[in-house]
Amino acid sequence: MTQRPTDRDVFAFPALMFGQIISILGSAMTSFVLSIVSFEKRGSIAELSSVILAFSLPGVLAAPFAGALLDRFDRRAVLAFSSLCAALSTLGIAAALSHGPVALWQILLCVGGISLFGSTQVPAITAMTAALVSKENYAKVNGVWQLAGGLVLMVAPLLAGLLLQHFGVRTIIACDFCSYLVAVATLALVRLGGHDAAEIGEKPSVFSLRTLRGGWTYIWARPGLRQLLAYMAVIHLVLDMIQILLVPIALGHGEARTLASVMAVSSLGMILGGTAMAISGGTRHRITGLLVATMVFGLGLCLAGQASHWLLLTGMFITSVAVPFSLGSNEAIWQVKTESAYQGRVFALEAMVAQAAQPVACLLAPFFCDLAGKTQTARSAFGHVSSAQSAGVVLVGCGVVVLAATLVSFSSRRLRSVEAELPDATPASLGIVGAVADS
């Protein structure tokens, strides 16, 4: 039987969080700098898009296998091994930089390796958090993660820009490499028991079809979770489209510092929202808090898409405050309702849906902006419509989509009752080592 954490494990979760935040910060700096370097040296948006895609696509494709590994083996060991492999990928970038101009294929290969080995990070952290924290505190802890995400979003570009200006790309790569080592070292402080032999039973092959589809089978058998996954897929798609749309909208309102103001306001909103979520733990019924917060999120987008600098800032602030409540409540539901034997695969599938939204958003955002621009130009008596105006229309459209999806979700009895209808994962089933269950 799996043992819950004891008093001597009081530093386990803070150690896990510290190490992973340092690792995420290092990766965010590397992503930021490589995007800048790729565009400055070649001036090609297509090549820049390929680098961004390389940061997400391999992780999406590897997610089912990552989840199976996490459910079969010690999750700490899997996370430590994948972190070391990702660290070696960063050394590959440094080695390429030391031999003169870097070819695009070298960047894509190394970045793809980071994405591939990083596919275990989110599901492993989510599962280990569920094992280290009591279920009553899941929402608060997820609020802390959202707060950390807001801080990283604000600090990473500033720190990376400062290091790039004074020390160069290789110093940032070295910092990223060291951040992985810190993450691996802190995992040594995470001490939890796993399942005993009787609980594990016979394990099918990690890469068997039955094992790989186990996460989807688990979700499909629970209509409430299935609808929640579909709903959050829409939200993640909109979140990724926002990142693309904000650039032309902000630049259309003025100079580049307008974009900096939007990013600062968004980061501040996430920090305040994450802090409030960490302190309050959200609403008693998490699904209600999720839907209400997401409705506020949609209203904020409708406001931000208007042709006003101050409405843009106000709307993005409202949106950013609501996001930690929405995402934090969502993660808490999954952690409470997913048995440990399936956590790796279920959380990996959830992360895969979120990550897959990025390449889809990269395709949809330009298409809808172009469509909105042509439609507005045809109706306008003043001729051509700017890209900022068309992007603003699409942003409002995203807000409307969020509001519509939320109203549909409110009308679904299965989704509204997901917490009441599904039993909580029992304390005995929570642990670091997963048991691959028959699917």
Side-chain angles (χ1 to χ4, degrees):
M1 179 182 294
T2 301
Q3 301 295 319
R4 295 294 293 173
T6 62
D7 291 340
R8 70 177 181 273
D9 302 308
V10 67
F11 296 110
F13 178 73
L16 172 67
M17 173 166 278
F18 173 78
Q20 295 306 312
I21 288 175
I22 294 298
S23 176
I24 293 170
L25 177 61
S27 299
M29 290 195 301
T30 298
S31 174
F32 179 80
V33 169
L34 287 181
S35 298
I36 292 177
V37 171
S38 299
F39 186 73
E40 283 185 342
K41 288 189 175 181
R42 297 172 176 83
S44 171
I45 296 178
E47 291 191 8
L48 174 61
S49 299
S50 66
V51 173
I52 295 174
L53 188 62
F55 267 110
S56 61
L57 188 58
V60 171
L61 298 177
F65 302 96
L69 287 171
L70 291 168
D71 279 342
R72 176 70 181 267
F73 301 108
D74 187 321
R75 287 166 184 158
R76 290 168 301 176
V78 174
L79 183 57
F81 176 76
S82 61
S83 296
L84 289 174
C85 291
L88 292 177
S89 297
T90 63
L91 287 184
I93 299 175
L97 288 170
S98 65
H99 290 83
V102 184
L104 177 63
W105 69 267
Q106 293 175 310
I107 295 178
L108 295 180
L109 182 64
C110 296
V111 166
I114 294 173
S115 175
L116 176 69
F117 295 112
S119 62
T120 63
Q121 187 176 39
V122 172
I125 291 173
T126 307
M128 293 170 71
T129 299
L132 289 165
V133 180
S134 63
K135 66 180 182 181
E136 292 80 10
N137 292 318
Y138 284 167
K140 292 183 178 181
V141 168
N142 288 320
V144 175
W145 281 116
Q146 295 298 319
L147 169 61
L151 290 171
V152 169
L153 181 66
M154 180 174 64
V155 171
L158 297 175
L159 185 57
L162 184 65
L163 291 175
L164 181 63
Q165 181 179 2
H166 293 283
F167 301 102
V169 179
R170 278 182 245 181
T171 299
I172 297 174
I173 300 299
C175 290
D176 190 13
F177 176 79
C178 293
S179 74
Y180 282 112
L181 298 184
V182 171
V184 173
T186 55
L187 286 174
L189 299 176
V190 180
R191 298 289 184 184
L192 285 179
H195 300 273
D196 58 25
E199 188 178 356
I200 293 176
E202 182 182 355
K203 296 179 180 179
S205 170
V206 173
F207 301 122
S208 70
L209 179 61
R210 181 177 62 177
T211 301
L212 294 176
R213 71 184 183 189
W216 176 247
T217 302
Y218 186 91
I219 296 173
W220 188 260
R222 295 157 177 81
L225 292 181
R226 190 169 71 231
Q227 292 179 21
L228 178 59
L229 183 67
Y231 174 64
M232 292 308 297
V234 174
I235 304 307
H236 283 295
L237 177 61
V238 170
L239 283 170
D240 285 322
M241 289 189 67
I242 292 172
Q243 297 180 31
I244 301 171
L245 296 172
L246 277 182
V247 175
I249 292 175
L251 295 180
H253 282 288
E255 302 175 353
R257 58 185 175 184
T258 303
L259 178 59
S261 299
V262 172
M263 298 301 294
V265 166
S266 299
S267 299
L268 178 61
M270 285 197 68
I271 291 170
L272 292 178
T275 301
M277 184 68 178
I279 294 173
S280 68
T283 57
R284 179 180 177 185
H285 299 288
R286 298 183 184 94
I287 189 64
T288 302
L290 188 158
L291 294 173
V292 170
T294 309
M295 185 164 287
V296 174
F297 167 70
L299 292 172
L301 291 181
C302 292
L303 196 64
Q306 306 302 315
S308 167
H309 172 76
W310 293 108
L311 288 179
L312 171 63
L313 294 178
T314 303
M316 288 311 302
F317 178 77
I318 293 172
T319 295
S320 301
V321 170
V323 166
F325 284 93
S326 179
L327 299 184
S329 298
N330 174 63
E331 286 302 320
I333 293 172
W334 287 98
Q335 288 169 327
V336 170
K337 301 301 177 181
T338 306
E339 298 291 337
S340 180
Y342 290 91
Q343 283 182 353
R345 287 166 290 173
V346 169
F347 296 158
L349 180 59
E350 186 197 4
M352 181 181 72
V353 170
Q355 289 177 316
Q358 186 176 53
V360 176
C362 289
L363 296 174
L364 292 183
F367 171 77
F368 283 118
C369 284
D370 184 57
L371 181 63
K374 290 179 179 178
T375 303
Q376 285 185 296
T377 300
R379 295 179 178 179
S380 175
F382 301 100
H384 181 70
V385 174
S386 69
S387 59
Q389 290 175 304
S390 59
V393 171
V394 177
L395 189 63
V396 173
C398 288
V400 172
V401 168
V402 169
L403 292 174
T406 303
L407 290 175
V408 170
S409 299
F410 262 121
S411 67
S412 171
R413 183 186 63 82
R414 287 286 194 179
L415 185 56
R416 292 198 317 271
S417 306
V418 65
E419 293 179 272
E421 288 188 351
L422 297 180
D424 292 354
T426 57
S429 74
L430 298 175
I432 291 288
V433 181
V436 177
D438 291 346
S439 304

